[in-house]
Amino acid sequence: MFHHPDLPIADLPWMRASGSGFASLGEAFATPTNPTPLPAAHWVGCNEALRNELALPDDLWQQQEALELFTGNRLVANQPTYASVYSGHQFGQWAGQLGDGRALNLGSVQTPSGLQELQLKGAGPTPYSRRGDGRAVLRSSIREFLASEAMHGLGIPTTRALCVTGSPAHVRREEVETAAVVTRVAPSFVRFGHFEHFASNGQIEELRALADHLVTAHFPALQDKQGAERYVALLHEVTQRTAVLMAQWQAVGFCHGVMNTDNMSILGLTLDYGPFQYLDGFDANHICNHSDHQGRYAYARQPQIAYWNLFCLGQALMPLIDEQAPALAALESYKQAFPEAMDQRMRNKLGLSGAHEGDRALVEDLLQALQQDRVDYTVFWRRLSIAVLESAHNTHAFEPVRDIFLHREVFDAWCARYLERLGAANRQATGDAMLRTNPKYILRNHLGELAIRQAKAGNFAMVQDLLQVLHAPFDEHPTYEAWAGLAPEWASSIEISCSS
């Protein structure tokens, strides 16, 4: 059912790897699975910047073999594709065995930044598809392609996206759509759920092999540690990375939408872009996933959910750690790491140097003011940055910021406190630093929707244009100034769900 031995073989030297990636652990981890071909493949989006970073051929986008490879219509000599098995908690409930239901790893490539795994999302059914078709649609594929690179442009750890290919083949979701495949790139796609799988099935040696592989491949500073100490250190490192990632999400106003344990990266990367959203009007209780009826993954709850997920990972590692106390200590470090990381990011956004006792209250009062008036989160921070920059020579510099509040007296009172805290700082230098911290461009839902509508009509220009702007979100792009404006009223009617 899952194998197509008649798929043509491509001899692509750049796809030959050392064999030391995840697949080297064996078939308990990586199940050989061939992709299912799609007809009439075509390019939808090509990430030239990432192609260059990976040192892939200059003419990659002109190679028919590459187009067929990234669509799942061709195999690579000596590089079997595979799907991996994992389990996990979904919406707080144990879901049991899951796995790569529509993702296939092409293998690893050696790049200037080290070994990177290439993965096709949407290349057909796998042994873990659970009655699904293993496909992705054009709509969701464009969203993931752009979101991955938008996060990278913002400096937030993430999986990357090399390209999207499309096909006229039909895929049924809420309606009939066309198929697409995203080629994702990451040092590793291992999730919390991989550990949960082997622990829940009593496969302790496999659990140990997975942990040791990750230490060797991705946490070399821990290699000298032995026994339980190694696995406690691994848990601590993942906890620290996750805490920092959550602070980065919250600071930029990013909502993931489906923070199940099988969507949490062991490397602290943003993983699996489904019903994600960047906040328009600020609402701490915003739920971006139309399927999340209980609001479990609302924006303000993300840091606590990450902490809960880390406890699931800690429980999975207990067969290797034995004693509860050191595992708890590793997990409890989140309680210090997250607020420290969050405080630092908010001080950076405000252009504040050093740490003062009243800084957290200043931030909390600001967020309450933004919440009260549903002020556009990105526009506010960008205007504030410009106001600080211009305030040294313009006494009305803060008027454009004040104008986006309904309760202007609330902003006035807060701004007076803020300027007192800012003190005699070099406003030019501070404003410049804030402009490099607070992006002008984010992947707003309506921008993605407009790109998708054009793509469905066969025009992929906006996909490529958005990609270029999102790679440099702190810069000025005069041609695309409208993309930095407030979201239109119709944007609030866009519904995104787990099928997105």
Side-chain angles (χ1 to χ4, degrees), residues 346-364:
M346 298 309 287
R347 281 195 296 268
N348 291 345
K349 291 177 76 66
L350 288 166
L352 304 179
S353 60
H356 290 195
E357 185 178 345
D359 287 350
R360 189 171 292 180
L362 187 69
V363 170
E364 290 174 353

Side-chain angles (χ1 to χ4, degrees), residues 256-331:
H256 184 280
V258 195
M259 288 179 65
N260 298 331
T261 58
D262 57 294
N263 291 339
M264 297 290 292
S265 162
I266 208 73
L267 298 186
L269 307 176
T270 310
L271 176 69
D272 284 351
Y273 293 90
F276 71 86
Q277 184 180 1
Y278 294 87
L279 293 174
D280 289 323
F282 183 78
D283 178 8
N285 301 312
H286 181 69
I287 303 165
C288 70
N289 182 355
H290 188 62
S291 306
D292 185 5
H293 304 297
Q294 303 302 316
R296 177 179 176 82
Y297 298 136
Y299 166 75
R301 293 183 178 179
Q302 291 183 142
Q304 182 61 33
I305 291 296
Y307 185 51
W308 192 92
N309 289 344
L310 284 163
F311 266 80
C312 293
L313 175 63
Q315 185 65 38
L317 283 169
M318 282 310 297
L320 307 182
I321 297 174
D322 293 329
E323 294 185 19
Q324 191 176 74
L328 283 174
L331 292 165

Side-chain angles (χ1 to χ4, degrees), residues 117-136:
E117 294 183 9
L118 301 186
Q119 187 181 80
L120 301 182
K121 183 175 181 179
T126 79
Y128 310 111
S129 294
R130 294 178 294 158
R131 300 183 301 279
D133 59 16
R135 292 300 185 192

